Amino acid sequence: MPSTQWREVILPGEDAQHAEQVHVFSELQRQRLKKQGHGRALHRKQVAALRAALVVEEGIPDCARQGIFAFPTVYEAHVRLSNGNFSVDRAPDIRGFAVKVLGASTPSSTDVEQNFTFVSQETLKVSGSADVVEIVDLSTSAPGAALRKAATKPRMVRGAVANFRDMAKPFSGFATHEFFSIMPVTFGDYAARLKLCAASTAVNKGARKDLAADIYGRLVEGDLEFLFQAQFFEDENRTPIEDSSVPWDAPWLTVGRLRVPRQAPDEAFARTVEKSSFNPWIAAKEHRPLGELMRARQAAYALSLRNRDVAP
């Protein structure tokens, strides 16, 4: 059964560590700014910008009737689909599915903006943000520097290889793949990981050649609907708050539906979405991100947003 007895582990000196770590992402963003122009440090390639609606289910259990899910309703939403690291669609990558819910309401607030971020992997095989930073640093270093770092940090190499194996698994397209929050967020007094279920089982074998063409081609034919599900914390052994490397052993509960209506590419709307910040810390107080990885992301997102328009 869902439990409210979850807890976060705040590490000594964590804030200072996170402030230092953002320099790796800042340098990555600076390098890409020189070569590719303004943009994000990660998830730089926007594959598609979509108008959507988040429909909150009726009759969901009390543990799920929290925050923006407290009442059955329909919210306007913007969706940004992205590649994590590479501009080439067929390259192994972590795909991003970001949702910005607009004008939401909670029992205590109105006109709330709620951001949710999902990726194409259920888990991330790291022990904390320091591992993520080392892997990013290794993957973006020049070949000679990367070899020197790899020689002195074999554990980092093992972590990079393990995560690359997950990235290399076949990606069938944004309409036919599942997406996960990896880390949990609060649901009022509860905590839950989140998932978007695939909208379709009809796989397009050519989707990886052009992910945008696949999603927009489907939206010419009809609407897409993704189930929005939550997996609630039960106990630390089966549903660990801080450990991103293991799937949770708890049932998934449908709390809403993300509906993407028929639409064609819209350049003006795409520019609006590209300029937006899809930050999980832009959230109702009932849906605060949890875990050390997410606290590290808070600092990284803020710096990435500031650096987007900085001159090279």
Side-chain angles (χ1 to χ4, degrees):
M1 295 293 293
S3 169
T4 60
Q5 300 305 305
W6 56 269
R7 66 184 182 89
E8 293 181 278
V9 178
I10 310 297
L11 302 174
E14 188 178 277
D15 289 344
Q17 174 185 317
H18 293 165
E20 182 64 27
Q21 288 170 349
V22 299
H23 295 301
V24 172
F25 294 97
S26 182
E27 176 59 19
L28 171 61
Q29 194 170 15
R30 187 190 66 80
Q31 292 174 8
R32 291 183 171 177
L33 181 64
K34 285 185 175 181
K35 295 179 180 179
Q36 304 167 4
H38 297 299
R40 293 164 167 82
L42 298 174
H43 289 278
R44 187 180 186 89
K45 182 185 177 182
Q46 179 169 292
V47 172
L50 305 173
R51 293 181 171 88
L54 178 63
V55 182
V56 179
E57 295 282 275
E58 295 186 12
I60 57 180
D62 289 347
C63 62
R65 287 194 286 111
Q66 310 290 333
I68 70 169
F69 298 92
F71 312 106
T73 189
V74 180
Y75 297 121
E76 177 187 359
H78 292 172
V79 169
R80 183 179 189 266
L81 308 181
S82 62
N83 288 344
N85 289 305
F86 302 104
S87 59
V88 179
D89 286 349
R90 70 184 66 190
D93 209 340
I94 298 178
R95 321 292 168 170
F97 196 128
V99 180
K100 183 183 293 292
V101 181
L102 304 171
S105 296
T106 73
S108 60
S109 304
T110 58
D111 197 24
V112 174
E113 180 182 322
Q114 174 66 50
N115 289 197
F116 296 110
T117 56
F118 303 86
V119 295
S120 51
Q121 296 178 196
E122 184 173 5
T123 61
L124 189 63
K125 293 178 175 62
V126 297
S127 60
S129 64
D131 284 358
V132 174
V133 171
E134 286 186 342
I135 291 170
V136 170
D137 186 33
L138 177 67
S139 64
T140 57
S141 297
L147 286 173
R148 289 192 295 273
K149 292 173 183 177
T152 59
K153 296 183 178 180
R155 187 179 65 85
M156 175 176 61
V157 176
R158 290 194 295 270
V161 170
N163 284 288
F164 184 81
R165 285 174 180 159
D166 285 342
M167 291 168 56
K169 292 177 181 177
F171 180 72
S172 60
F174 285 95
T176 53
H177 203 86
E178 294 184 330
F179 292 84
F180 301 86
S181 65
I182 295 185
M183 297 299 291
V185 301
T186 58
F187 252 67
D189 292 334
Y190 298 91
R193 286 186 180 181
L194 307 175
K195 178 172 75 169
L196 288 175
C197 295
S200 173
T201 57
V203 173
N204 170 13
K205 292 183 179 179
R208 288 192 68 181
K209 296 178 182 177
D210 191 332
L211 294 171
D214 176 61
I215 195 75
Y216 283 118
R218 293 172 186 272
L219 290 170
V220 168
E221 299 176 357
D223 302 349
L224 293 174
E225 183 174 271
F226 301 81
L227 295 183
F228 193 114
Q229 296 187 328
Q231 186 182 37
F232 284 87
F233 172 87
E234 295 186 357
D235 62 66
E236 190 59 31
N237 290 327
R238 296 168 59 236
T239 52
I241 290 293
E242 297 284 351
D243 191 346
S244 67
S245 67
V246 296
W248 278 14
D249 181 17
W252 288 100
L253 172 69
T254 298
V255 297
R257 298 173 188 270
L258 185 69
R259 292 178 179 166
V260 183
R262 289 187 181 191
Q263 58 195 282
D266 182 329
E267 291 185 7
F269 178 67
R271 287 193 295 271
T272 296
V273 169
E274 179 60 23
K275 291 179 181 178
S276 298
S277 175
F278 287 82
N279 181 345
W281 285 93
I282 301 174
K285 64 182 181 180
E286 294 92 340
H287 302 304
R288 176 176 66 83
L290 291 174
E292 188 269 333
L293 272 177
M294 296 301 282
R295 294 192 294 277
R297 286 177 71 183
Q298 186 175 25
Y301 269 83
L303 185 63
S304 176
L305 181 62
R306 291 198 302 272
N307 285 348
R308 277 200 218 169
D309 296 324
V310 174

